Amino acid sequence: MSTADLLAEVYERVTQVVRRPETWARPTRTSWTVHELLAHLLLDARRALVTLSTPADSLPDTDRVSYWRGFRPQDTDGARAHVALVRATAAAHPDPAALVDEWVETSRAAAHACRVAEPDVLATQGHAIATGDLVHTLLLEATVHLLDLTVDVPDAPEPPDAALAEVRSVLVPLARGPLPAGWDDLTAVLKGTGRSPLDDADRAELGEQARLFPLLG
């Protein structure tokens, strides 16, 4: 399955969760509710549509791994501004069902655009990135946030195994070495992104690598 096909599948699994009204006010693994986290995902899908129509005028200066080095968890003005934007976007949809409808339409359009996109160098967030690497960043974000959305939600869909493996493929170079062999891909994603804490055994096996965790937020 291509990265774009995987992205489409993860987006559809997000939709399966957020179409359930009983989830909207639930907490997630982030500081947002399901309603608010969906607003964040909607903004990302919108950015995908813009980026896929914005060719860069330079060679790539980032890729599917280095892109994430600028997103280490930090209490910055930019991070706080994004939190405020997400909450404002959610508040602008006081009926979460309207936000769900917009998400379904936008995410399917973004997934289709990724499937048919030609190889190119695209401009986004002050960087130039190859089309395939852009799609991979979207897949990573959607996969991690699907896990965030589904915490304690009964019968919620999990990310495809292949999507978790793709996220792990980014975490390994961010960790500057292999992750513990005993971690399956789900564990690697949860611990690599700080969703689950490292325990003493993890820190002993990782050694100096442990100071790099979480590898991305």
Side-chain angles (χ1 to χ4, degrees), residues 30-162:
T30 72
S31 63
W32 293 317
T33 65
V34 167
H35 179 201
E36 291 167 337
L37 183 50
L38 181 61
H40 170 73
L41 284 164
L42 174 62
L43 292 172
D44 208 45
R46 287 176 181 169
R47 182 177 64 84
L49 288 170
V50 171
T51 301
L52 289 166
S53 297
T54 310
D57 57 5
S58 66
L59 295 174
D61 60 19
T62 193
D63 60 25
R64 66 186 60 191
V65 175
S66 61
Y67 173 86
W68 295 107
R69 292 199 172 104
F71 290 91
R72 293 293 300 276
Q74 294 178 1
D75 185 20
T76 63
D77 289 344
R80 285 189 289 272
H82 182 70
V83 169
L85 174 62
V86 167
R87 291 200 164 121
T89 302
H93 297 78
D95 177 4
L99 185 67
V100 172
D101 289 344
E102 186 171 354
W103 158 255
V104 171
E105 182 178 71
T106 306
S107 64
R108 288 177 178 171
H112 174 74
C114 287
R115 280 189 174 118
V116 301
E118 297 291 336
D120 202 350
V121 181
L122 305 168
T124 185
Q125 297 176 320
H127 290 288
I129 189 169
T131 301
D133 286 340
L134 171 78
V135 177
H136 200 279
T137 67
L138 296 168
L139 173 64
L140 187 152
E141 180 135 1
T143 299
V144 172
H145 285 322
L146 175 57
L147 291 172
D148 292 335
L149 285 168
T150 56
V151 62
D152 295 331
V153 175
D155 302 318
E158 294 187 349
D161 290 344

